[in-house]
Amino acid sequence: MGSYIPNTETDRSEMLAAMGRKSIDELFANIPENVRIKDLNIPKGMAELDVTRAIASLAGENKIFSVVFRGAGAYKHYIPAAVKRITANETFTTAYTPYQAEISQGILQSIFEYQTMICELTGMDAANASVYDGASAAAEAMNMCRDRGKNNIYVSGTAHPQVIETIRTYCFGYGIPVIMIPKNTDGKTDLTALKNLLADDKAAAGIYIQSPNFFGLVEDIPGASEIAHANGALLATGVNPISLGLLESPGALGADIALGEGQPLGMPLAWGGPYLGFIACKNSLMRKLPGRIVGETTDTKGERAFVLTLQAREQHIRREKASSNICSNEAHCALTAAVYLSVMGEEGFAEAARQCHSKAIYTAKQISAISGYSLVYDGEFFNEFVTQCPDTEKALKVLEKDGILGGYPLGKSQLLWCVTELNTKDEIDRMACILKEATL
Amino acid sequence: MKLIFEKSRPGRGCSILPPCDVPEASIPQSLARKKPAGLPCLDENEISRHYSTLAKRSFGVNDGFYPLGSCTMKYNPKVNEELARLPGFTDIHPLQDACTVQGCLRILDLAASYLNEISGMDAMSFQPAAGAHGELTGLLLFKRYHQSRGDSARTKIIIPDSAHGTNPASAAMAGFEVVNIPSGADGCVDLAALKAVLGPDTAGLMLTNPNTVGIFDPNITEITRLVHEAGGLNYYDGANLNAIMGIVRPGDMGFDVVHLNLHKSFSTPHGGGGPGSGAVGCEKNLAPFLPRSGTELEVAGQAQSIGRVRAFNGNFLIVVRAAAYLLTLGKEGIPDVAKNAVLNANYLMEKIRGKFPPAYEGPCMHEFVISVEKLKETHGVSALDIAKALQDRGMHPPTIYFPLIVHEALMVEPTETESKETLDDAARTFLSLFDEAEKHPESLHAAPMNSAIGRPDDVKAARQPVLRFRC
């Protein structure tokens, strides 16, 4: 049996003797006899080497694709070596929520710097210190939009399906309706439909539109913002943070809240988690942000200091009236994002975005040139796009044989492709070549 | 200390990406970013030093004793970290076909089988990303369950006044009305107060046991029976499971739904506030309502599910760490954790009780609450002062001002991974602080003296919020 307990038999006897107790069991006297268990029906414990063998063998049962052209909400980007090493520091991994500011200045400052970077990327005034993931960030953001009797939430059908479902789950909790904004034939949000829906709704609270959307297309955020604001509603925009190295920020385009999945900022795919949700907003909404927020202040000597602030929103103070129930968040993931953005730097980050875009355009051209394949939508896209495909199952199978994870199948005849700076021209050409051969 | 932005110099940077190997594409000017994001420009050495300095200005379990009550800051085994970094886990896309992720699915299955046995539940979901996220999920199960029976009158959740703040906040998010009930003089549920609020509008009860004052409620089976009789369900907040795992199971105590904080009881690192994992277990009759799972974006055939609470498969790498820990400890190791956590807490409590009397009598479980109310009256030294002075003595302070029902509370949780010597040292530190408080109370008001900063101005931070640097 493995164990991390230092107490020896001698220690235990000495400790019990010091307390005037005969056995540890005496300390459990409050537990009624009839509910105590004799024995757990699980295997005996194992030594570290055996555990390593067992878990590594399970890791070995997964197929690692050396080449990935799949995104759909989870993105394989290059993670600089410095990011992995710096964030593995045990002080960062083993600390708790920084309640005691004086001995948590480092973590608090790292969060303050993270908040600044998220504000810079999104063009916003304030950011929280992370929520669970992009989908729950969207759900929390929609809750931020609610205000005095205004409860109706509008969600575009072009958003990520699991984000839509998460918003629905949270709204089921609140007992408020979710109204879907239809998707247009061009693959984007039907803004005319949105205008008509809002015209008759005095209780419209918030609108959620993702851009680039689930199909990779850049949405008309200024147009959506104008319609939202003309009808007294707020606009929350979901973004891929990497796209913000190239595309205009949601803040500059008129969104009130920007949010998204932070995983592309230095976190591995990891079969879905831990991921990172971020939310940033205009000053007017600052006090409605969920979760932790770090603020700058001064200490007794007048020196710069950082603290968890605006805690009157939080569950440990406000209880059932809190803006959210978040306690544990994804602080270490936020740290990772901050280190990633520092290592990439302003120019490196913009270059990563440009390469994602350029390589996606190149890939789209190569795939479209194959018989039976064509781009489904002609709008501008960042690094994801949808193509027709004669037989998605067959196409994915031939790619898999070559260690390539192809696009995400949208039914039997369409694939959603994703390209990042990691995909080389050789890989792209090889992939296109395999697809072409398969159609012959 | 300078911010990373203040260290930035235009032109500096790290060399990460090779030149683009395909023709450069352009986007319409109307869509392009006008002003570059103000990210810092530094070389790798400067970045490494910056974060190394930040680490030195922080305190983790690795840096010393961390008896943060209700947070279970136990040692995080190194092997778990290694295993969670295996490429066979980190490089797997969440939307890979099920036949290519059998290892991931088996990790979930393995962790579920252990945790179901430990909690006495039938089914487990790993989608919730934290304890409070699990609470929300569990309460939505309650809501769906009552709805499925056409019982729409059950709108209230009963919560003791000693509960973690997440409980009432989660209940509100799930659309329930919160009914607070006072705790008895012993810190346990007051049965009369409970009976008085139970009725046809009761959706359920949320409870942690041992409770937030560190005591196992001896009436637990009576409490859960009363709630069931009234037609409500019982929710077990697993924050304090470390004290009882392998000894008694929430399911056997009459709970219908539990969440387990994998980042507390099962030794996964807290990371300065997360990521956690709030696995939710439930009895068979509630299992159809659990969040949807699967390796596809839309999974059919789970019509009764409450839906997703986040995208994809939860904080999977946290589950890997917990699975490694469960395999390591196994059948005998799990109850041994509980026994040693309880032994350590009682030992430390006994050693300091002469000066710091516990707020409640009798043996504690894995944590205990002391009140320095008297010290505040006689010498003006508060729980906050004690906490700040402990920092100067190389120890992370206990949780302070919680639970809310104890005045000037300090909540101490040593965990099972501390040695007798560490506890003896901590006891000496506590006792010497008491003497200091009596003799030189002013020195405690001035603490901490050796930390990176003196006490910060919280009021200024909240009144004039500065939440970002202006680049």
Side-chain angles (χ1 to χ4, degrees):
Chain A
M1 166 188 107
S3 158
Y4 301 101
I5 298 168
N7 293 343
T8 61
E9 272 311 316
T10 316
D11 292 333
R12 296 187 208 206
S13 328
E14 283 176 19
M15 291 162 80
L16 285 167
M19 292 190 278
R21 303 245 175 218
K22 285 194 185 66
S23 72
I24 295 180
D25 265 1
E26 285 181 25
L27 302 172
F28 289 87
N30 266 3
I31 302 184
E33 277 298 336
N34 62 340
V35 284
R36 291 200 205 191
I37 52 168
K38 279 203 186 71
D39 203 7
L40 281 170
N41 186 22
I42 55 176
K44 283 188 173 178
M46 292 154 77
E48 178 172 317
L49 179 54
D50 280 336
V51 172
T52 301
R53 284 181 177 137
I55 300 280
S57 132
L58 291 177
E61 286 184 34
N62 293 323
K63 182 171 172 65
I64 301 174
F65 288 90
S66 52
V67 177
V68 175
F69 286 101
R70 187 169 291 186
Y75 301 93
K76 189 173 177 188
H77 289 280
Y78 179 67
I79 303 175
V83 175
K84 296 184 199 172
R85 301 288 291 193
I86 289 171
T87 57
N89 183 305
E90 295 210 3
T91 296
F92 292 137
T93 58
T94 69
Y96 193 67
T97 307
Y99 290 128
Q100 297 289 343
E102 299 86 350
I103 49 169
S104 308
Q105 280 302 295
I107 283 178
L108 287 161
Q109 181 171 332
S110 79
I111 293 174
F112 183 82
E113 292 174 352
Y114 161 80
Q115 287 172 187
T116 303
M117 291 176 199
I118 293 295
C119 286
E120 280 292 323
L121 292 184
T122 56
M124 293 287 172
D125 302 315
N128 75 351
S130 86
V131 293
Y132 308 131
D133 77 329
S136 55
E140 295 274 3
M142 297 327 284
N143 186 42
M144 283 172 70
C145 296
R146 295 167 62 202
D147 191 26
R148 274 172 271 150
K150 283 189 170 189
N151 268 328
N152 289 346
I153 299 299
Y154 288 81
V155 177
S156 171
T158 69
H160 191 282
Q162 294 195 339
V163 175
I164 297 174
E165 199 181 344
T166 305
I167 295 174
R168 278 187 191 284
T169 306
Y170 275 63
C171 286
F172 162 65
Y174 295 123
I176 60 176
V178 174
I179 302 154
M180 294 305 296
I181 314 164
K183 174 187 144 197
N184 218 331
T185 48
D186 64 1
K188 295 196 238 176
T189 308
D190 186 340
L191 290 183
T192 313
L194 174 65
K195 201 171 182 175
N196 294 335
L197 283 166
L198 288 185
D200 299 327
D201 187 356
K202 294 275 166 287
I207 292 145
Y208 179 71
I209 297 179
Q210 179 185 325
S211 179
N213 68 22
F214 178 63
F215 308 102
L217 300 162
V218 180
E219 292 270 4
D220 177 7
I221 297 301
S225 159
E226 202 181 310
I227 296 167
H229 295 146
N231 291 280
L234 296 174
L235 176 67
T237 305
V239 284
N240 174 343
I242 300 281
S243 75
L244 298 177
L246 181 67
L247 299 177
E248 186 54 285
S249 71
L253 296 174
D256 302 284
I257 304 173
L259 61 100
E261 175 52 69
Q263 175 269 332
L265 304 175
M267 277 143 271
L269 288 168
W271 202 52
Y275 282 7
L276 165 69
F278 63 86
I279 307 182
C281 66
K282 296 286 168 71
N283 260 332
S284 54
L285 290 164
M286 176 199 300
R287 285 169 203 278
K288 295 179 97 175
L289 279 166
R292 312 296 187 183
I293 300 176
V294 170
E296 186 181 324
T297 184
T298 45
D299 74 353
T300 38
K301 290 167 258 170
E303 302 281 318
R304 173 191 267 167
F306 297 98
V307 293
L308 289 175
T309 194
L310 303 182
Q311 295 192 60
R313 305 160 295 110
E314 290 193 65
Q315 47 77 27
H316 63 282
I317 308 285
R318 270 313 268 303
R319 302 180 78 85
E320 62 264 34
K321 293 190 181 68
S323 65
S324 155
N325 67 343
I326 289 177
C327 179
S328 284
N329 52 64
E330 307 279 302
H332 192 259
C333 299
L335 171 84
T336 305
V339 177
Y340 174 83
L341 290 167
S342 304
V343 171
M344 295 305 284
E346 189 168 287
E347 184 40 43
F349 183 67
E351 176 62 15
R354 286 194 294 266
Q355 291 202 12
C356 288
H357 178 64
S358 295
K359 292 184 177 205
I361 297 269
Y362 177 79
T363 310
K365 266 191 201 144
Q366 303 307 306
I367 298 179
S368 308
I370 304 165
S371 150
Y373 286 82
S374 59
L375 270 179
V376 173
Y377 307 112
D378 31 336
E380 290 293 334
F381 61 87
F382 171 58
N383 74 334
E384 291 186 278
F385 56 88
V386 183
T387 66
Q388 281 303 125
C389 170
D391 180 343
T392 56
E393 210 174 311
K394 188 177 158 200
L396 292 173
K397 220 168 245 165
V398 293
L399 290 175
E400 185 179 332
K401 263 193 215 148
D402 228 52
I404 300 172
L405 181 63
Y408 184 77
L410 306 176
K412 289 191 185 313
S413 62
Q414 291 187 357
L415 286 168
L416 170 63
W417 299 90
C418 170
V419 187
T420 74
E421 80 285 356
L422 266 179
N423 298 108
T424 62
K425 179 172 179 294
D426 285 352
E427 277 174 23
I428 298 165
D429 292 343
R430 180 157 61 96
M431 184 267 286
C433 186
I434 294 167
L435 284 186
K436 194 172 172 184
E437 277 171 20
T439 59
L440 297 176
Chain B
M1 167 186 168
K2 275 190 178 173
L3 294 170
I4 197 160
F5 306 99
E6 294 164 331
K7 296 177 180 172
S8 169
R9 293 289 175 273
R12 280 193 195 149
C14 308
S15 169
I16 306 296
L17 298 182
C20 193
D21 58 359
V22 302
E24 276 201 32
S26 60
I27 52 158
Q29 207 48 41
S30 60
L31 301 178
R33 199 173 176 107
K34 307 286 176 302
K35 174 180 157 274
L39 297 176
C41 306
L42 285 87
D43 69 278
E44 194 172 306
N45 184 14
E46 289 175 299
I47 295 168
S48 293
R49 283 197 185 141
H50 179 73
Y51 281 100
S52 197
T53 311
L54 293 185
K56 280 180 205 148
R57 289 161 73 92
S58 305
F59 193 99
V61 173
N62 234 55
D63 301 303
F65 188 38
Y66 211 128
L68 194 63
S70 238
C71 301
T72 309
M73 300 298 289
K74 63 170 73 173
Y75 175 70
N76 303 138
K78 308 277 185 266
V79 64
N80 300 356
E81 296 305 302
E82 290 267 306
L83 295 172
R85 285 173 173 79
L86 290 172
F89 297 131
T90 57
D91 293 355
I92 306 300
H93 194 284
L95 297 173
Q96 280 186 216
D97 200 62
C99 65
T100 66
V101 294
Q102 287 300 299
C104 290
L105 292 164
R106 284 184 57 188
I107 288 278
L108 293 193
D109 201 47
L110 170 83
S113 71
Y114 275 69
L115 295 175
N116 279 329
E117 172 65 14
I118 289 167
S119 61
M121 295 288 139
D122 296 316
M124 191 73 52
S125 164
F126 290 102
Q127 209 181 79
H133 207 204
E135 291 173 18
L136 173 63
T137 306
L139 290 171
L140 292 177
L141 296 184
F142 279 25
K143 194 169 186 173
R144 196 62 113 203
Y145 170 82
H146 290 310
Q147 246 183 20
S148 75
R149 296 155 47 94
D151 195 348
S152 58
R154 297 193 178 274
T155 54
K156 293 181 179 167
I157 293 286
I158 301 166
I159 303 176
D161 56 3
S162 64
H164 299 119
T166 50
N167 285 187
S170 300
M173 283 178 79
F176 291 110
E177 194 184 318
V178 175
V179 181
N180 283 299
I181 53 167
S183 304
D186 56 357
C188 294
V189 172
D190 179 338
L191 288 178
L194 174 64
K195 282 179 195 161
V197 295
L198 283 171
D201 58 0
T202 301
L205 169 80
M206 290 182 92
L207 203 64
T208 180
N209 191 33
N211 60 27
T212 47
V213 301
I215 293 172
F216 190 95
D217 199 316
N219 299 319
I220 190 62
T221 51
E222 174 71 357
I223 293 163
T224 55
R225 190 183 60 81
L226 286 169
V227 173
H228 280 155
E229 263 178 22
L233 296 167
N234 292 296
Y235 183 90
Y236 184 83
D237 173 340
N240 295 338
L241 186 85
N242 205 50
I244 56 153
M245 54 188 198
I247 312 279
V248 59
R249 313 187 309 165
D252 299 342
M253 294 188 241
F255 288 93
D256 305 283
V257 177
V258 308
H259 85 257
L260 305 173
N261 299 78
L262 301 191
H263 50 287
K264 293 186 178 182
S265 319
F266 301 101
S267 85
T268 64
H270 287 66
S277 174
V280 167
C282 67
E283 301 283 8
K284 220 177 276 146
N285 56 338
L286 289 154
F289 310 119
L290 282 172
R292 281 188 232 278
S293 56
T295 52
E296 290 160 47
L297 281 187
E298 285 159 291
V299 182
Q302 295 174 34
Q304 288 181 287
S305 162
I306 57 163
R308 307 191 138 265
V309 290
R310 53 155 281 171
F312 308 126
N313 313 302
N315 281 346
F316 175 68
L317 295 183
I318 301 295
V319 185
V320 172
R321 290 174 171 92
Y325 180 74
L326 287 162
L327 284 183
T328 303
L329 266 57
K331 193 188 202 61
E332 322 89 325
I334 295 288
D336 203 39
V337 161
K339 286 176 188 169
N340 280 283
V342 171
L343 175 66
N344 280 358
N346 279 280
Y347 179 69
L348 185 55
M349 179 173 83
E350 287 304 321
K351 291 214 93 168
I352 65 172
R353 72 179 301 146
K355 303 285 185 188
F356 296 95
Y360 300 92
E361 277 310 323
C364 67
M365 298 303 280
H366 65 313
E367 59 195 3
F368 60 94
V369 181
I370 49 188
S371 165
V372 294
E373 199 176 8
K374 223 172 142 196
L375 198 60
K376 193 171 181 202
E377 279 166 22
T378 54
H379 292 85
V381 173
S382 66
L384 185 76
D385 293 329
I386 299 282
K388 300 306 177 195
L390 284 170
Q391 296 181 14
D392 277 341
R393 286 152 178 85
M395 180 175 142
H396 194 286
T399 295
I400 52 172
Y401 300 109
F402 183 81
L404 306 176
I405 53 172
V406 177
H407 296 294
E408 295 299 326
L410 289 149
M411 182 186 229
V412 187
E413 179 179 1
T415 82
E416 73 281 2
T417 56
E418 297 299 339
S419 68
K420 179 173 175 292
E421 297 82 75
T422 302
L423 302 177
D424 289 338
D425 283 347
R428 273 192 291 276
T429 303
F430 268 105
L431 297 175
S432 73
L433 265 188
F434 191 88
D435 289 344
E436 182 84 3
E438 284 188 320
K439 284 181 205 143
H440 310 288
E442 67 290 346
S443 77
L444 273 75
H445 299 315
M449 301 299 285
N450 308 328
S451 300
I453 58 158
R455 290 194 202 184
D457 188 344
D458 287 306
V459 175
K460 179 178 165 188
R463 292 226 176 116
Q464 303 152 28
V466 178
L467 308 183
R468 56 162 296 183
F469 177 71
R470 290 280 167 187
C471 300

